[in-house]
Amino acid sequence: MYASYAYLVPIVLVVLLLFAAIRILPEYKRGVVFFLGRFQAVKGPGLLFLIPAIQKMQVVDLRTVTLDVPEQDVISQDNVTVRVNAVLYFRVVDPEKAIIQVENFGIATSQLAQTTLRSVLGKHDLDEMLSERDRLNNDIQEILDTQTEAWGIKVANVEIKHVDLDESMIRAIARQAEAERERRAKVIHAEGELQASHKLVEAADVMSSNSAALQLRYLQTLSDMSNKNASTIVFPLPMDIMDAFKGQLNKAGAASTGNEAPGSASSDTSSSRSSPNDEMPGNEA
């Protein structure tokens, strides 16, 4: 009986050692193996055998990690305070550096993303933050990727999610947008008037070349007015008729001026003739 138990104990120990030595890693994980505290190799995926108490392994996930950057208070270049948050996508490309070069690559990447977000956005105006997010995302991604390369981490993408403003700043932006829309409306109206004036000049040139075209336009205007329920009809009077009347008035004025001129001359002559007789001494006696 005691002999059977004596054989059973070593078998149990061997089985326990096998369970402790066998490791299985999936396809998306890698194991950084240390032999007596020194880096030995990066192993996986699949079945691995480790010597208990001599070899140790730290597992690293190679999948893309989604990191939510907390909301940050940022002062823009034009002294506007905004609250900005973002999302960061990164993955481990070198498990050896990710374990040896940095204590916790996840926390280190998060803190670096927060400081980079504040420093990059602080160099731009509020209008650039709202309208040029793609360029700002690329700038932040390049800076993070350069600094995390030594940690064996690849920053795939950075996206700014929200840019929150104060109520006073929102009202100011609304007033600015309203003024901008009014300016555009006035410019468009002025451009329309300019184009209409050019078209009217072209139409006048066409009508002046042919008097029948002007008469047809008059008739078309009367036809349009007759379709409406109106008791008053306005008949367009051609300007040529007014010119004819003006010519007749000018001729009549010239004729009356010519008739008055001889009479005034004769009266002047008679007065001149009578004046010497009045001055004679005989008449005075």
Side-chain angles (χ1 to χ4, degrees):
M1 180 66 69
Y2 291 105
S4 61
Y5 283 115
Y7 288 109
L8 184 60
V9 172
I11 294 175
V12 172
L13 292 176
V14 171
V15 172
L16 293 176
L17 288 175
L18 288 176
F19 275 108
I22 295 176
R23 299 290 181 85
I24 298 176
L25 293 179
E27 182 66 31
Y28 54 85
K29 289 185 178 181
R30 298 293 184 271
V32 181
V33 180
F34 295 90
F35 183 82
L36 295 177
R38 291 187 176 182
F39 171 75
Q40 183 179 9
V42 177
K43 296 184 179 181
L47 183 63
L48 302 178
F49 293 95
L50 300 177
I51 302 173
I54 296 178
Q55 289 181 324
K56 291 184 178 181
M57 183 177 66
Q58 294 188 12
V59 181
V60 179
D61 196 331
L62 300 183
R63 292 176 294 182
T64 300
V65 179
T66 302
L67 179 62
D68 190 8
V69 181
E71 196 172 31
Q72 304 293 316
D73 291 329
V74 179
I75 300 177
S76 63
Q77 193 174 12
D78 52 352
N79 296 325
V80 178
T81 302
V82 295
R83 299 181 66 87
V84 184
N85 62 347
V87 60
L88 176 67
Y89 300 92
F90 71 94
R91 60 187 178 89
V92 178
V93 295
D94 192 342
E96 177 185 355
K97 293 181 179 180
I99 296 299
I100 297 175
Q101 299 297 330
V102 62
E103 180 180 1
N104 191 323
F105 61 85
I107 296 176
T109 304
S110 176
Q111 295 297 322
L112 182 61
Q114 296 177 31
T115 56
T116 305
L117 181 65
R118 288 195 299 268
S119 62
V120 172
L121 296 183
K123 298 178 181 178
H124 296 81
D125 298 335
L126 178 61
D127 294 338
E128 295 178 354
M129 294 183 192
L130 298 177
S131 61
E132 299 182 3
R133 289 194 179 184
D134 293 337
R135 184 170 65 85
L136 295 178
N137 293 334
N138 293 332
D139 293 342
I140 297 172
Q141 187 266 335
E142 291 177 359
I143 294 173
L144 290 176
D145 193 21
T146 302
Q147 296 183 1
T148 57
E149 184 179 2
W151 301 342
I153 295 174
K154 171 65 177 177
V155 177
N157 193 13
V158 178
E159 292 291 339
I160 299 175
K161 294 195 298 184
H162 299 291
V163 179
D164 297 331
L165 303 173
D166 295 334
E167 291 296 331
S168 60
M169 185 56 61
I170 294 176
R171 290 193 295 268
I173 293 175
R175 290 194 299 270
Q176 180 183 3
E178 183 178 0
E180 179 66 21
R181 287 193 295 269
E182 291 179 357
R183 183 188 67 83
R184 292 180 181 178
K186 292 180 180 179
V187 171
I188 293 173
H189 180 72
E191 291 178 353
E193 292 292 336
L194 179 61
Q195 294 177 3
S197 63
H198 288 311
K199 294 300 180 181
L200 288 175
V201 171
E202 293 178 2
D205 293 338
V206 173
M207 290 182 179
S208 62
S209 62
N210 191 350
S211 59
L214 184 61
Q215 186 65 28
L216 290 175
R217 184 58 183 168
Y218 289 156
L219 295 176
Q220 182 65 37
T221 303
L222 292 175
S223 177
D224 294 338
M225 295 176 63
S226 64
N227 293 330
K228 300 180 181 179
N229 296 324
S231 59
T232 304
I233 296 178
V234 180
F235 183 77
L237 184 65
M239 297 302 296
D240 296 339
I241 297 177
M242 299 300 297
D243 293 338
F245 282 124
K246 289 181 180 179
Q248 293 295 329
L249 292 175
N250 292 332
K251 290 180 180 180
S256 61
T257 303
N259 293 329
E260 291 176 356
S264 60
S266 62
S267 61
D268 293 340
T269 305
S270 60
S271 61
S272 62
R273 289 178 181 179
S274 61
S275 58
N277 294 327
D278 294 338
E279 294 177 355
M280 292 179 65
N283 292 334
E284 291 179 359

